[in-house]
mmCIF file of all heavy atoms in Angstrom:
data_model
loop_
_atom_site.group_PDB
_atom_site.id
_atom_site.type_symbol
_atom_site.label_atom_id
_atom_site.label_comp_id
_atom_site.label_asym_id
_atom_site.label_seq_id
_atom_site.Cartn_x
_atom_site.Cartn_y
_atom_site.Cartn_z
ATOM 1 N N GLY A 53 13.169 2.641 -4.434
ATOM 2 C CA GLY A 53 13.193 3.196 -5.783
ATOM 3 C C GLY A 53 11.925 3.952 -6.143
ATOM 4 O O GLY A 53 11.909 4.727 -7.108
ATOM 5 N N LEU A 54 10.856 3.740 -5.373
ATOM 6 C CA LEU A 54 9.577 4.409 -5.663
ATOM 7 C C LEU A 54 9.330 5.605 -4.745
ATOM 8 O O LEU A 54 8.243 6.185 -4.784
ATOM 9 C CB LEU A 54 8.419 3.411 -5.509
ATOM 10 C CG LEU A 54 8.393 2.235 -6.479
ATOM 11 C CD1 LEU A 54 7.223 1.314 -6.158
ATOM 12 C CD2 LEU A 54 8.297 2.716 -7.926
ATOM 13 N N ALA A 55 10.307 5.966 -3.936
ATOM 14 C CA ALA A 55 10.104 7.023 -2.938
ATOM 15 C C ALA A 55 9.611 8.325 -3.561
ATOM 16 O O ALA A 55 8.712 8.980 -3.025
ATOM 17 C CB ALA A 55 11.388 7.259 -2.157
ATOM 18 N N SER A 56 10.158 8.701 -4.713
ATOM 19 C CA SER A 56 9.770 9.968 -5.328
ATOM 20 C C SER A 56 8.355 9.914 -5.905
ATOM 21 O O SER A 56 7.724 10.950 -6.113
ATOM 22 C CB SER A 56 10.764 10.336 -6.441
ATOM 23 O OG SER A 56 10.803 9.325 -7.436
ATOM 24 N N PHE A 57 7.858 8.691 -6.158
ATOM 25 C CA PHE A 57 6.502 8.541 -6.715
ATOM 26 C C PHE A 57 5.452 8.326 -5.627
ATOM 27 O O PHE A 57 4.247 8.329 -5.925
ATOM 28 C CB PHE A 57 6.460 7.352 -7.681
ATOM 29 C CG PHE A 57 7.420 7.464 -8.827
ATOM 30 C CD1 PHE A 57 8.615 6.759 -8.823
ATOM 31 C CD2 PHE A 57 7.146 8.289 -9.903
ATOM 32 C CE1 PHE A 57 9.507 6.845 -9.872
ATOM 33 C CE2 PHE A 57 8.028 8.392 -10.968
ATOM 34 C CZ PHE A 57 9.220 7.679 -10.952
ATOM 35 N N LEU A 58 5.907 8.118 -4.394
ATOM 36 C CA LEU A 58 4.983 7.784 -3.301
ATOM 37 C C LEU A 58 5.174 8.741 -2.125
ATOM 38 O O LEU A 58 5.631 8.342 -1.043
ATOM 39 C CB LEU A 58 5.206 6.337 -2.848
ATOM 40 C CG LEU A 58 5.113 5.256 -3.933
ATOM 41 C CD1 LEU A 58 5.536 3.916 -3.388
ATOM 42 C CD2 LEU A 58 3.696 5.190 -4.512
ATOM 43 N N PRO A 59 4.833 10.001 -2.312
ATOM 44 C CA PRO A 59 5.060 10.981 -1.237
ATOM 45 C C PRO A 59 4.104 10.817 -0.048
ATOM 46 O O PRO A 59 4.383 11.305 1.039
ATOM 47 C CB PRO A 59 4.833 12.322 -1.931
ATOM 48 C CG PRO A 59 3.893 11.999 -3.056
ATOM 49 C CD PRO A 59 4.256 10.631 -3.514
ATOM 50 N N THR A 60 2.973 10.148 -0.261
ATOM 51 C CA THR A 60 1.972 9.996 0.802
ATOM 52 C C THR A 60 1.445 8.561 0.803
ATOM 53 O O THR A 60 1.646 7.804 -0.157
ATOM 54 C CB THR A 60 0.782 10.950 0.589
ATOM 55 O OG1 THR A 60 0.159 10.621 -0.664
ATOM 56 C CG2 THR A 60 1.239 12.397 0.583
ATOM 57 N N LEU A 61 0.737 8.225 1.868
ATOM 58 C CA LEU A 61 0.118 6.906 1.924
ATOM 59 C C LEU A 61 -0.975 6.769 0.866
ATOM 60 O O LEU A 61 -1.145 5.705 0.272
ATOM 61 C CB LEU A 61 -0.469 6.660 3.317
ATOM 62 C CG LEU A 61 -1.105 5.278 3.512
ATOM 63 C CD1 LEU A 61 -0.052 4.192 3.472
ATOM 64 C CD2 LEU A 61 -1.869 5.210 4.831
ATOM 65 N N SER A 62 -1.692 7.845 0.619
ATOM 66 C CA SER A 62 -2.757 7.780 -0.390
ATOM 67 C C SER A 62 -2.187 7.463 -1.770
ATOM 68 O O SER A 62 -2.841 6.777 -2.572
ATOM 69 C CB SER A 62 -3.543 9.093 -0.426
ATOM 70 O OG SER A 62 -2.704 10.174 -0.758
ATOM 71 N N SER A 63 -0.985 7.939 -2.045
ATOM 72 C CA SER A 63 -0.358 7.621 -3.342
ATOM 73 C C SER A 63 -0.036 6.127 -3.430
ATOM 74 O O SER A 63 -0.116 5.532 -4.506
ATOM 75 C CB SER A 63 0.906 8.456 -3.544
ATOM 76 O OG SER A 63 1.877 8.179 -2.543
ATOM 77 N N ILE A 64 0.324 5.529 -2.301
ATOM 78 C CA ILE A 64 0.556 4.076 -2.277
ATOM 79 C C ILE A 64 -0.749 3.333 -2.548
ATOM 80 O O ILE A 64 -0.791 2.391 -3.349
ATOM 81 C CB ILE A 64 1.137 3.649 -0.913
ATOM 82 C CG1 ILE A 64 2.546 4.220 -0.729
ATOM 83 C CG2 ILE A 64 1.159 2.125 -0.784
ATOM 84 C CD1 ILE A 64 3.146 3.933 0.627
ATOM 85 N N LEU A 65 -1.814 3.767 -1.887
ATOM 86 C CA LEU A 65 -3.104 3.096 -2.041
ATOM 87 C C LEU A 65 -3.623 3.205 -3.466
ATOM 88 O O LEU A 65 -4.257 2.275 -3.982
ATOM 89 C CB LEU A 65 -4.121 3.690 -1.063
ATOM 90 C CG LEU A 65 -3.782 3.538 0.424
ATOM 91 C CD1 LEU A 65 -4.850 4.216 1.282
ATOM 92 C CD2 LEU A 65 -3.635 2.076 0.812
ATOM 93 N N ARG A 66 -3.358 4.324 -4.124
ATOM 94 C CA ARG A 66 -3.803 4.485 -5.514
ATOM 95 C C ARG A 66 -2.952 3.637 -6.463
ATOM 96 O O ARG A 66 -3.490 2.964 -7.345
ATOM 97 C CB ARG A 66 -3.735 5.959 -5.929
ATOM 98 C CG ARG A 66 -4.803 6.845 -5.316
ATOM 99 C CD ARG A 66 -4.857 8.189 -6.024
ATOM 100 N NE ARG A 66 -3.580 8.876 -5.968
ATOM 101 C CZ ARG A 66 -3.227 9.729 -4.993
ATOM 102 N NH1 ARG A 66 -4.068 9.977 -3.997
ATOM 103 N NH2 ARG A 66 -2.054 10.326 -5.007
ATOM 104 N N ARG A 67 -1.641 3.669 -6.265
ATOM 105 C CA ARG A 67 -0.736 2.995 -7.207
ATOM 106 C C ARG A 67 -0.799 1.470 -7.085
ATOM 107 O O ARG A 67 -0.639 0.758 -8.096
ATOM 108 C CB ARG A 67 0.698 3.487 -6.978
ATOM 109 C CG ARG A 67 1.704 2.935 -8.009
ATOM 110 C CD ARG A 67 3.104 3.438 -7.742
ATOM 111 N NE ARG A 67 4.050 2.871 -8.676
ATOM 112 C CZ ARG A 67 4.639 3.530 -9.674
ATOM 113 N NH1 ARG A 67 4.364 4.811 -9.872
ATOM 114 N NH2 ARG A 67 5.498 2.916 -10.477
ATOM 115 N N LYS A 68 -1.023 0.964 -5.883
ATOM 116 C CA LYS A 68 -0.999 -0.489 -5.693
ATOM 117 C C LYS A 68 -2.127 -1.198 -6.439
ATOM 118 O O LYS A 68 -2.087 -2.419 -6.614
ATOM 119 C CB LYS A 68 -1.047 -0.829 -4.206
ATOM 120 C CG LYS A 68 -2.412 -0.710 -3.543
ATOM 121 C CD LYS A 68 -2.344 -1.058 -2.070
ATOM 122 C CE LYS A 68 -3.703 -0.996 -1.399
ATOM 123 N NZ LYS A 68 -4.624 -2.019 -1.896
ATOM 124 N N ILE A 69 -3.137 -0.452 -6.888
ATOM 125 C CA ILE A 69 -4.249 -1.048 -7.631
ATOM 126 C C ILE A 69 -3.754 -1.659 -8.939
ATOM 127 O O ILE A 69 -4.220 -2.732 -9.348
ATOM 128 C CB ILE A 69 -5.334 0.011 -7.901
ATOM 129 C CG1 ILE A 69 -5.941 0.497 -6.577
ATOM 130 C CG2 ILE A 69 -6.423 -0.537 -8.811
ATOM 131 C CD1 ILE A 69 -6.898 1.654 -6.732
ATOM 132 N N TRP A 70 -2.778 -0.995 -9.576
ATOM 133 C CA TRP A 70 -2.282 -1.509 -10.856
ATOM 134 C C TRP A 70 -0.825 -1.962 -10.798
ATOM 135 O O TRP A 70 -0.350 -2.646 -11.705
ATOM 136 C CB TRP A 70 -2.439 -0.448 -11.954
ATOM 137 C CG TRP A 70 -1.791 0.883 -11.635
ATOM 138 C CD1 TRP A 70 -2.368 1.949 -11.037
ATOM 139 C CD2 TRP A 70 -0.433 1.261 -11.916
ATOM 140 N NE1 TRP A 70 -1.471 2.990 -10.912
ATOM 141 C CE2 TRP A 70 -0.270 2.596 -11.445
ATOM 142 C CE3 TRP A 70 0.655 0.625 -12.505
ATOM 143 C CZ2 TRP A 70 0.942 3.277 -11.557
ATOM 144 C CZ3 TRP A 70 1.852 1.307 -12.617
ATOM 145 C CH2 TRP A 70 1.988 2.626 -12.147
ATOM 146 N N ASP A 71 -0.105 -1.617 -9.725
ATOM 147 C CA ASP A 71 1.293 -2.026 -9.569
ATOM 148 C C ASP A 71 1.338 -3.284 -8.691
ATOM 149 O O ASP A 71 1.201 -3.212 -7.468
ATOM 150 C CB ASP A 71 2.092 -0.887 -8.923
ATOM 151 C CG ASP A 71 3.592 -1.151 -8.926
ATOM 152 O OD1 ASP A 71 3.993 -2.330 -8.847
ATOM 153 O OD2 ASP A 71 4.370 -0.177 -8.968
ATOM 154 N N MET A 72 1.533 -4.449 -9.314
ATOM 155 C CA MET A 72 1.466 -5.709 -8.587
ATOM 156 C C MET A 72 2.599 -5.859 -7.568
ATOM 157 O O MET A 72 2.409 -6.429 -6.488
ATOM 158 C CB MET A 72 1.505 -6.883 -9.571
ATOM 159 C CG MET A 72 0.371 -6.863 -10.584
ATOM 160 S SD MET A 72 -1.271 -6.773 -9.794
ATOM 161 C CE MET A 72 -1.329 -8.333 -8.936
ATOM 162 N N ASP A 73 3.794 -5.341 -7.899
ATOM 163 C CA ASP A 73 4.913 -5.410 -6.948
ATOM 164 C C ASP A 73 4.609 -4.581 -5.702
ATOM 165 O O ASP A 73 4.891 -5.014 -4.575
ATOM 166 C CB ASP A 73 6.202 -4.893 -7.603
ATOM 167 C CG ASP A 73 6.732 -5.866 -8.640
ATOM 168 O OD1 ASP A 73 6.373 -7.069 -8.556
ATOM 169 O OD2 ASP A 73 7.500 -5.446 -9.524
ATOM 170 N N LEU A 74 4.065 -3.409 -5.902
ATOM 171 C CA LEU A 74 3.715 -2.558 -4.768
ATOM 172 C C LEU A 74 2.585 -3.192 -3.954
ATOM 173 O O LEU A 74 2.584 -3.124 -2.714
ATOM 174 C CB LEU A 74 3.305 -1.173 -5.257
ATOM 175 C CG LEU A 74 2.999 -0.130 -4.172
ATOM 176 C CD1 LEU A 74 4.214 0.091 -3.277
ATOM 177 C CD2 LEU A 74 2.558 1.186 -4.797
ATOM 178 N N GLU A 75 1.640 -3.807 -4.635
ATOM 179 C CA GLU A 75 0.548 -4.509 -3.947
ATOM 180 C C GLU A 75 1.105 -5.624 -3.059
ATOM 181 O O GLU A 75 0.668 -5.796 -1.910
ATOM 182 C CB GLU A 75 -0.420 -5.090 -4.987
ATOM 183 C CG GLU A 75 -1.448 -6.071 -4.435
ATOM 184 C CD GLU A 75 -2.456 -5.424 -3.511
ATOM 185 O OE1 GLU A 75 -2.646 -4.195 -3.610
ATOM 186 O OE2 GLU A 75 -3.046 -6.148 -2.694
ATOM 187 N N ALA A 76 2.091 -6.371 -3.587
ATOM 188 C CA ALA A 76 2.700 -7.450 -2.806
ATOM 189 C C ALA A 76 3.445 -6.884 -1.595
ATOM 190 O O ALA A 76 3.394 -7.458 -0.491
ATOM 191 C CB ALA A 76 3.657 -8.254 -3.689
ATOM 192 N N THR A 77 4.129 -5.757 -1.782
ATOM 193 C CA THR A 77 4.836 -5.122 -0.675
ATOM 194 C C THR A 77 3.865 -4.652 0.392
ATOM 195 O O THR A 77 4.062 -4.880 1.591
ATOM 196 C CB THR A 77 5.660 -3.918 -1.186
ATOM 197 O OG1 THR A 77 6.604 -4.372 -2.154
ATOM 198 C CG2 THR A 77 6.392 -3.233 -0.033
ATOM 199 N N TRP A 78 2.805 -4.010 -0.043
ATOM 200 C CA TRP A 78 1.774 -3.519 0.882
ATOM 201 C C TRP A 78 1.170 -4.669 1.680
ATOM 202 O O TRP A 78 1.005 -4.580 2.902
ATOM 203 C CB TRP A 78 0.703 -2.782 0.084
ATOM 204 C CG TRP A 78 -0.502 -2.380 0.871
ATOM 205 C CD1 TRP A 78 -1.728 -2.959 0.836
ATOM 206 C CD2 TRP A 78 -0.597 -1.289 1.798
ATOM 207 N NE1 TRP A 78 -2.593 -2.318 1.684
ATOM 208 C CE2 TRP A 78 -1.923 -1.283 2.284
ATOM 209 C CE3 TRP A 78 0.291 -0.333 2.259
ATOM 210 C CZ2 TRP A 78 -2.374 -0.359 3.215
ATOM 211 C CZ3 TRP A 78 -0.157 0.604 3.188
ATOM 212 C CH2 TRP A 78 -1.467 0.586 3.652
ATOM 213 N N THR A 79 0.863 -5.755 0.990
ATOM 214 C CA THR A 79 0.274 -6.929 1.642
ATOM 215 C C THR A 79 1.223 -7.534 2.668
ATOM 216 O O THR A 79 0.787 -8.041 3.708
ATOM 217 C CB THR A 79 -0.103 -7.989 0.588
ATOM 218 O OG1 THR A 79 -1.001 -7.403 -0.362
ATOM 219 C CG2 THR A 79 -0.769 -9.187 1.227
ATOM 220 N N SER A 80 2.527 -7.486 2.387
ATOM 221 C CA SER A 80 3.507 -8.051 3.327
ATOM 222 C C SER A 80 3.754 -7.134 4.525
ATOM 223 O O SER A 80 4.149 -7.598 5.599
ATOM 224 C CB SER A 80 4.832 -8.317 2.601
ATOM 225 O OG SER A 80 5.470 -7.091 2.243
ATOM 226 N N VAL A 81 3.511 -5.826 4.356
ATOM 227 C CA VAL A 81 3.759 -4.867 5.441
ATOM 228 C C VAL A 81 2.654 -4.913 6.498
ATOM 229 O O VAL A 81 2.923 -4.810 7.697
ATOM 230 C CB VAL A 81 3.891 -3.440 4.854
ATOM 231 C CG1 VAL A 81 3.766 -2.385 5.951
ATOM 232 C CG2 VAL A 81 5.233 -3.299 4.139
ATOM 233 N N LEU A 82 1.409 -5.065 6.066
ATOM 234 C CA LEU A 82 0.273 -5.002 6.997
ATOM 235 C C LEU A 82 0.407 -5.958 8.189
ATOM 236 O O LEU A 82 0.189 -5.543 9.339
ATOM 237 C CB LEU A 82 -1.034 -5.264 6.244
ATOM 238 C CG LEU A 82 -1.461 -4.200 5.232
ATOM 239 C CD1 LEU A 82 -2.778 -4.602 4.572
ATOM 240 C CD2 LEU A 82 -1.599 -2.839 5.902
ATOM 241 N N PRO A 83 0.757 -7.240 7.972
ATOM 242 C CA PRO A 83 0.862 -8.141 9.133
ATOM 243 C C PRO A 83 1.950 -7.741 10.120
ATOM 244 O O PRO A 83 1.881 -8.122 11.295
ATOM 245 C CB PRO A 83 1.183 -9.500 8.484
ATOM 246 C CG PRO A 83 0.713 -9.386 7.072
ATOM 247 C CD PRO A 83 0.930 -7.955 6.703
ATOM 248 N N GLU A 84 2.945 -7.002 9.676
ATOM 249 C CA GLU A 84 3.998 -6.549 10.592
ATOM 250 C C GLU A 84 3.423 -5.655 11.688
ATOM 251 O O GLU A 84 3.976 -5.568 12.789
ATOM 252 C CB GLU A 84 5.079 -5.786 9.820
ATOM 253 C CG GLU A 84 5.849 -6.640 8.817
ATOM 254 C CD GLU A 84 6.914 -5.844 8.093
ATOM 255 O OE1 GLU A 84 7.233 -4.710 8.549
ATOM 256 O OE2 GLU A 84 7.430 -6.333 7.067
ATOM 257 N N PHE A 85 2.313 -5.003 11.393
ATOM 258 C CA PHE A 85 1.646 -4.134 12.362
ATOM 259 C C PHE A 85 0.356 -4.762 12.905
ATOM 260 O O PHE A 85 -0.425 -4.085 13.587
ATOM 261 C CB PHE A 85 1.337 -2.777 11.718
ATOM 262 C CG PHE A 85 2.559 -2.018 11.286
ATOM 263 C CD1 PHE A 85 3.101 -2.196 10.025
ATOM 264 C CD2 PHE A 85 3.177 -1.126 12.152
ATOM 265 C CE1 PHE A 85 4.239 -1.496 9.622
ATOM 266 C CE2 PHE A 85 4.316 -0.421 11.770
ATOM 267 C CZ PHE A 85 4.849 -0.613 10.501
ATOM 268 N N GLY A 86 0.148 -6.036 12.569
ATOM 269 C CA GLY A 86 -1.055 -6.718 13.051
ATOM 270 C C GLY A 86 -2.336 -6.242 12.393
ATOM 271 O O GLY A 86 -3.400 -6.288 12.998
ATOM 272 N N LEU A 87 -2.233 -5.781 11.144
ATOM 273 C CA LEU A 87 -3.395 -5.219 10.440
ATOM 274 C C LEU A 87 -3.724 -6.023 9.189
ATOM 275 O O LEU A 87 -2.897 -6.799 8.707
ATOM 276 C CB LEU A 87 -3.115 -3.762 10.040
ATOM 277 C CG LEU A 87 -2.811 -2.776 11.171
ATOM 278 C CD1 LEU A 87 -2.357 -1.441 10.591
ATOM 279 C CD2 LEU A 87 -4.030 -2.588 12.065
ATOM 280 N N ASN A 88 -4.926 -5.811 8.670
ATOM 281 C CA ASN A 88 -5.301 -6.354 7.364
ATOM 282 C C ASN A 88 -5.928 -5.239 6.533
ATOM 283 O O ASN A 88 -6.022 -4.091 6.974
ATOM 284 C CB ASN A 88 -6.246 -7.554 7.508
ATOM 285 C CG ASN A 88 -7.510 -7.205 8.275
ATOM 286 O OD1 ASN A 88 -8.088 -6.133 8.079
ATOM 287 N ND2 ASN A 88 -7.956 -8.090 9.146
ATOM 288 N N GLU A 89 -6.358 -5.576 5.326
ATOM 289 C CA GLU A 89 -6.872 -4.559 4.409
ATOM 290 C C GLU A 89 -8.107 -3.854 4.969
ATOM 291 O O GLU A 89 -8.257 -2.638 4.841
ATOM 292 C CB GLU A 89 -7.200 -5.214 3.064
ATOM 293 C CG GLU A 89 -7.460 -4.228 1.939
ATOM 294 C CD GLU A 89 -6.201 -3.477 1.516
ATOM 295 O OE1 GLU A 89 -5.106 -4.074 1.518
ATOM 296 O OE2 GLU A 89 -6.329 -2.278 1.198
ATOM 297 N N SER A 90 -9.004 -4.619 5.592
ATOM 298 C CA SER A 90 -10.216 -4.016 6.172
ATOM 299 C C SER A 90 -9.863 -3.034 7.287
ATOM 300 O O SER A 90 -10.504 -1.984 7.434
ATOM 301 C CB SER A 90 -11.136 -5.115 6.720
ATOM 302 O OG SER A 90 -11.600 -5.952 5.684
ATOM 303 N N ASP A 91 -8.837 -3.376 8.073
ATOM 304 C CA ASP A 91 -8.403 -2.485 9.152
ATOM 305 C C ASP A 91 -7.928 -1.140 8.599
ATOM 306 O O ASP A 91 -8.285 -0.078 9.127
ATOM 307 C CB ASP A 91 -7.277 -3.132 9.964
ATOM 308 C CG ASP A 91 -7.729 -4.393 10.683
ATOM 309 O OD1 ASP A 91 -8.929 -4.509 10.978
ATOM 310 O OD2 ASP A 91 -6.869 -5.263 10.937
ATOM 311 N N THR A 92 -7.112 -1.191 7.550
ATOM 312 C CA THR A 92 -6.573 0.060 6.999
ATOM 313 C C THR A 92 -7.680 0.923 6.393
ATOM 314 O O THR A 92 -7.631 2.151 6.475
ATOM 315 C CB THR A 92 -5.497 -0.223 5.923
ATOM 316 O OG1 THR A 92 -6.058 -1.048 4.893
ATOM 317 C CG2 THR A 92 -4.306 -0.933 6.536
ATOM 318 N N LYS A 93 -8.688 0.278 5.792
ATOM 319 C CA LYS A 93 -9.817 1.048 5.254
ATOM 320 C C LYS A 93 -10.561 1.759 6.385
ATOM 321 O O LYS A 93 -10.962 2.928 6.243
ATOM 322 C CB LYS A 93 -10.761 0.124 4.492
ATOM 323 C CG LYS A 93 -10.204 -0.360 3.163
ATOM 324 C CD LYS A 93 -11.188 -1.274 2.452
ATOM 325 C CE LYS A 93 -10.622 -1.740 1.117
ATOM 326 N NZ LYS A 93 -11.547 -2.666 0.408
ATOM 327 N N ALA A 94 -10.732 1.066 7.510
ATOM 328 C CA ALA A 94 -11.409 1.678 8.653
ATOM 329 C C ALA A 94 -10.597 2.838 9.206
ATOM 330 O O ALA A 94 -11.145 3.899 9.553
ATOM 331 C CB ALA A 94 -11.639 0.627 9.735
ATOM 332 N N LEU A 95 -9.275 2.671 9.291
ATOM 333 C CA LEU A 95 -8.406 3.732 9.814
ATOM 334 C C LEU A 95 -8.390 4.939 8.881
ATOM 335 O O LEU A 95 -8.395 6.093 9.345
ATOM 336 C CB LEU A 95 -6.993 3.190 10.017
ATOM 337 C CG LEU A 95 -6.864 2.078 11.069
ATOM 338 C CD1 LEU A 95 -5.439 1.535 11.106
ATOM 339 C CD2 LEU A 95 -7.273 2.580 12.447
#
């Protein structure tokens, strides 16, 4: 449902700061790729 509001990864990173549902989704996705928040910042 947020596809039109999230055209890029940077838009996800900006929106998740205040969107708690998106933050929870982002947090659940990272382990699927073996990553954490510090890893994504480095990448």
Side-chain angles (χ1 to χ4, degrees):
L54 296 178
S56 59
F57 301 102
L58 305 172
T60 61
L61 182 68
S62 61
S63 62
I64 293 176
L65 298 178
R66 287 193 302 269
R67 185 180 178 108
K68 77 181 182 66
I69 296 173
W70 55 268
D71 189 329
M72 301 305 295
D73 288 338
L74 184 59
E75 169 67 22
T77 300
W78 172 255
T79 303
S80 69
V81 164
L82 293 180
E84 295 181 14
F85 298 89
L87 300 172
N88 58 41
E89 192 69 36
S90 296
D91 296 334
T92 57
K93 288 180 179 179
L95 296 175

